[in-house]
Structure formats: C-alpha cells, structure tokens
C-alpha cells in the first residue's frame, strides 16, 4: 500500500472512527484502526464488536493494500503533524506503516488486516431516509432519558418504531420518559420496532455534525439484530438491544387538573438556581402553581431547601389553567429536559403531587416528556 492524502482529512477521518475503537478488550486488534484502499479512496474503520464506524477520505493511491495499526497512537501522531501532505507506505515484509509529513517521519508496527473483525453487512430488511437535522434534534430530546444502569438492558437503548412515514423514538429509565415523533423521507413497507443503544445514537449525532449531508440512510436487517446508518462519507453499524421495550403509552397521563404555560428560558434559569440548594436536599425541586385572580397573573413558584445549607424561592409569571397545585421533581431531570427543548414556551401538566408530570413544548405536538414526582413533606 502506498498513497498520499492531506493531514487535515486523515486527522478528521481518524477522529470520526476513533470513538468506535475498543479501549479495554480481550481482543487486542479491536484497539486498532483498519486502513485500506477502496475504489480510489482511503477507507478507515474501527470497531468494538458492538459498533463499527467506517469513513472514506480522498487520497492519491499509488499501490493498493491494507493494514491495521493502534488507533490511539496513529490519531495522536497525525493530529500533531503540520497541515501538509502525508505519505503512507506499507512495508509488505515487516508489516510496518511508514508515515511521512513535511520533515516528520514515523514507523508504526501493524497487524495484518485479515485479522480485523469484518464489519457486518446490513441487508434485506427495511430501508428508509430521514432528514439529518431533524434526526439530531429528536435524538437530543430523547437519548438523555435512557438508563445508564445495565440491570435492565432494554432501558439502556432508545425504542425506535418505524411505521409508514413516521419514526417514533422513546427512552425511559424508570423515573422519566421521553417520546418524539418525526417524519421519514421514505416510507417503510413493513412496520418495524427495534431498540437502538443510546451510545450508538449519541455517537451518530456527533458524526452527523461532521458530515455535511442532508439525508441519513437507515437500514435494519431482517433479524432485527443490526442497524446501519449511512451518511455521505461515513457508515455506522451497530448491534441492536434484544428484548421488549415497556408499553410506555400506559404511563402517559391522558388528562390533567392543572396546566401551566411558562417561558422556557425563565423556567430553565429558575430551576438551575433551585438545584444549587437542592444538591444538599436530595435533589428535590418543589413547584407550586397558582392561577391568580381577576387582577393578578398566574404564577409558578420554584423552590428548594436544605436543612444544612438554606433555601431559595423563585417566582415566574405563568398562564395557569385549572386549580392550584404543587408537585416536586428531581431537579436534574427538570434541567435535562428544559436544557434541550427549542421552544420559547413550555407547558407543565399535573394531576396531583403523587402523579407523573408532563412537559411539552408549546406549539409542537410531536414531543412529550413524563417525569415521576418525588414524595416530600410540604
């Protein structure tokens, strides 16, 4: 293998695939990145056996070939080089990859590419396209609600339902639930439900910001064991989480006794202030809703207190429909959802201090967030 490429392109490609390289592993070659020539371009690939990322960059190919070298070592070296042409030359006998850029040279011992785990082919299942920006927004408003605890594996993923021209993403960790509906650019022929690892979607969102492509291709295999995401120069293949996601529609309240509409940024700021005091008080943030009277506007009062530190109270003008109400939430959960919503106003719907609260963006009907309340002494 002998080729020339730009340092800028190689550095970007290595940063794209590097997140898929395994850290601690019983299979040492998964610490490596695959470097190979492919139809006049340079292909980079890395895998941790659960997720594989491939990337193609422009290069001048003189001799075809392939090898694998330690991903971290190569990435750190290439990132330290000047923005100039890089020459890659593989010594067929020693398996060493020689790298030259300006007045810098290095030799990295490689491992034969035939020992690198093959990237799975995802074929014969459903195929669709989706707008990249819409997908990134959906992921940002859902993925944080997935569980980090491995005791219930299905909750560490995001439930994805492909039906007709709609994709519904849902995540839950037992304390909160986020559901987002968005349109597909191509309708699916068969309704399909899979659970995508939250880490995969987080990584995909990062990659989508690095590849200027409007549409994201999605393929799910017939066995529902693998999913492929394809951008212009990037492919990500991931294993799917096996199991049945909970019937989350059953926990979404269908009615409310009090509804508050409030400025989203003000709600976020007041909650952020309250969590400073809530840190030493079990994370509890208390919300009180008052509809006001004929001459007084409704208000939302946000407070937190700690026996050791002290307390704080913040008041916001709000449109309050229904009766007076109070409820307490984990402040972190409130911050998580308010921090990702793009709407100028949000609504909070409650029934009682012991029933789930529902947060929605005002002006959009494609997102719903349910938070379980905390039981406190008022």
């Amino acid at each position: 293998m002998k080729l020339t490429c730009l340092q800028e392109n190689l550095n970007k490609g290595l940063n794209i695939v590097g997140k898929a390289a395994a850290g601690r592993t019983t299979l040492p070659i998964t610490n490596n990145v695959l470097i190979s020539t492919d139809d006049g371009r340079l292909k980079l690939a890395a895998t941790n056996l659960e997720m594989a990322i491939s990337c193609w960059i422009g290069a001048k190919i003189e001799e075809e070939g392939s090898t694998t070298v330690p991903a971290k070592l190569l990435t750190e070296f290439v990132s330290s080089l000047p923005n100039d042409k890089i020459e890659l030359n593989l010594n067929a006998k020693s398996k060493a990859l020689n790298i030259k850029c300006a007045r810098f040279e290095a030799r990295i011992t490689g491992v034969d590419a035939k020992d690198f785990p093959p990237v799975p082919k995802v074929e014969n299942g459903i195929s669709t396209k989706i707008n990249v920006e819409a997908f990134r927004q959906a992921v940002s408003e859902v993925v944080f609600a997935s569980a980090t605890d491995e005791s219930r594996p299905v909750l560490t993923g995001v439930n994805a339902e492909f039906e007709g021209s709609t994709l519904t993403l849902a995540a839950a960790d037992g304390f909160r639930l986020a559901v987002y509906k968005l349109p597909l650019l191509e309708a699916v022929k068969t309704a399909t439900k899979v659970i995508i690892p939250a880490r995969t979607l987080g990584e995909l969102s990062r990659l989508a910001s690095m590849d200027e492509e409007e549409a994201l291709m999605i393929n799910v295999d017939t066995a529902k064991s693998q999913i492929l995401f394809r951008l212009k120069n990037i492919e990500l293949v991931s294993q799917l989480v096996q199991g049945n996601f909970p019937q989350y529609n059953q926990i979404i309240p269908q009615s409310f006794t009090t509804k508050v509409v409030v400025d989203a940024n003000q709600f976020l700021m007041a909650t952020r202030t309250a969590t400073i005091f809530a840190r030493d008080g079990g994370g509890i943030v208390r919300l009180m809703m008052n509809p006001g009277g004929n001459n007084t506007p409704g208000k939302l009062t946000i407070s937190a207190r700690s026996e050791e530190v002290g307390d704080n109270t913040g008041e916001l003008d709000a449109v309050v429909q229904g009766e007076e109400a109070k409820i307490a939430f984990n402040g972190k959960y409130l911050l998580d959802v308010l921090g990702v919503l793009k709407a100028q106003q949000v609504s909070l719907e409650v029934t009682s201090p012991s029933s789930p609260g529902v947060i929605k963006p005002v002006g959009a009907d494609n997102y719903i967030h349910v938070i379980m309340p905390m039981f406190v002494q008022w």
Side-chain angles (χ1 to χ4, degrees):
M1 180 174 70
K2 187 176 182 181
L3 60 92
T4 305
C5 63
L6 293 177
Q7 182 271 346
E8 180 183 7
N9 293 342
L10 182 56
N11 187 46
K12 181 181 177 181
L14 289 170
N15 281 309
I16 286 172
V17 303
K19 290 292 180 71
R24 298 173 184 172
T25 176
T26 54
L27 190 61
I29 197 167
T30 56
N31 289 317
N32 286 13
V33 60
L34 173 70
I35 303 172
S36 63
T37 55
D38 185 10
D39 289 335
R41 293 192 295 172
L42 176 62
K43 177 184 177 181
L44 306 171
T47 181
N48 57 14
L49 301 183
E50 294 179 0
M51 176 174 68
I53 300 176
S54 304
C55 172
W56 287 261
I57 64 173
K60 183 180 179 183
I61 311 294
E62 293 184 39
E63 291 180 17
E64 303 281 344
S66 61
T67 187
T68 77
V69 293
K72 186 178 179 183
L73 176 65
L74 181 62
T75 302
E76 289 180 348
F77 177 66
V78 170
S79 68
S80 71
L81 295 174
N83 190 357
D84 205 337
K85 286 185 178 180
I86 289 183
E87 296 177 16
L88 300 181
N89 195 345
L90 179 65
N91 188 312
K93 291 184 178 180
S94 66
K95 307 291 186 186
L97 181 66
N98 297 300
I99 306 167
K100 186 175 181 181
C101 179
R103 299 168 72 179
F104 298 87
E105 287 188 52
R107 185 179 63 84
I108 301 178
T109 303
V111 177
D112 201 309
K114 72 176 187 298
D115 297 327
F116 194 79
V119 176
K121 300 285 186 184
V122 181
E123 300 170 330
N124 303 324
I126 67 157
S127 177
T128 185
K129 284 183 180 180
I130 197 165
N131 178 274
V132 170
E133 273 309 306
F135 186 74
R136 287 187 67 209
Q137 182 62 32
V139 169
S140 73
E141 294 190 22
V142 168
V143 72
F144 65 87
S146 58
T148 54
D149 181 4
E150 297 283 346
S151 60
R152 292 186 67 187
V154 293
L155 296 185
T156 64
V158 174
N159 191 63
E161 296 180 43
F162 299 86
E163 187 171 1
S165 297
T166 303
L167 168 61
T168 303
L169 299 177
D173 63 2
F175 302 100
R176 53 187 168 170
L177 164 70
V179 183
Y180 195 112
K181 293 179 183 289
L182 68 163
L184 296 170
L185 297 177
E186 287 183 2
V188 295
K189 296 177 181 178
T190 307
T192 302
K193 187 186 297 185
V194 296
I195 303 174
I196 308 169
R199 183 181 171 221
T200 295
L201 288 178
E203 191 57 35
L204 180 64
S205 186
R206 181 185 75 90
L207 297 177
S209 66
M210 303 174 75
D211 196 322
E212 297 176 1
E213 186 75 357
E214 289 186 1
L216 171 69
M217 290 279 298
I218 304 175
N219 289 73
V220 179
D221 67 357
T222 48
K224 296 182 183 179
S225 61
Q226 307 274 356
I227 189 167
L228 164 68
F229 299 97
R230 182 185 294 117
L231 292 157
K232 185 178 181 181
N233 296 307
I234 302 171
E235 286 187 5
L236 186 155
V237 177
S238 173
Q239 289 187 4
L240 293 168
V241 180
Q242 300 304 307
N244 295 314
F245 201 78
Q247 295 293 320
Y248 58 85
N249 285 318
Q250 298 173 1
I251 68 169
I252 299 176
Q254 300 303 308
S255 61
F256 57 86
T257 56
T258 307
K259 179 179 178 179
V260 181
V261 175
V262 66
D263 182 272
N265 282 332
Q266 290 181 11
F267 195 3
L268 174 61
M269 289 175 62
T271 302
R272 190 176 287 137
T273 303
T275 55
I276 297 170
F277 289 82
R279 281 197 297 258
D280 295 298
I284 299 169
V285 171
R286 293 169 166 82
L287 305 178
M288 297 188 69
M289 292 139 269
N290 191 318
N294 292 331
N295 299 316
T296 56
K299 66 179 180 181
L300 173 64
T301 303
I302 303 162
S303 63
R305 64 173 179 260
S306 165
E307 296 297 332
E308 297 178 359
V309 176
D311 56 67
N312 95 299
T313 302
E315 282 188 2
L316 302 178
D317 288 338
V319 177
V320 182
Q321 172 189 341
E323 57 196 55
E324 209 171 81
K326 56 189 177 183
I327 196 167
F329 295 123
N330 183 312
K332 179 187 180 301
Y333 296 164
L334 267 182
L335 284 180
D336 283 346
V337 61
L338 294 174
V340 297
L341 292 179
K342 299 295 185 184
Q344 291 185 330
Q345 290 185 313
V346 295
S347 69
L348 169 63
E349 300 171 359
V350 300
T351 305
S352 73
S354 58
S355 300
V358 177
I359 293 177
K360 299 176 182 176
V362 173
D365 60 359
N366 63 336
Y367 182 72
I368 187 168
H369 193 87
V370 181
I371 307 180
M372 301 303 292
M374 298 185 78
F375 299 98
V376 299
Q377 294 294 325
W378 289 89

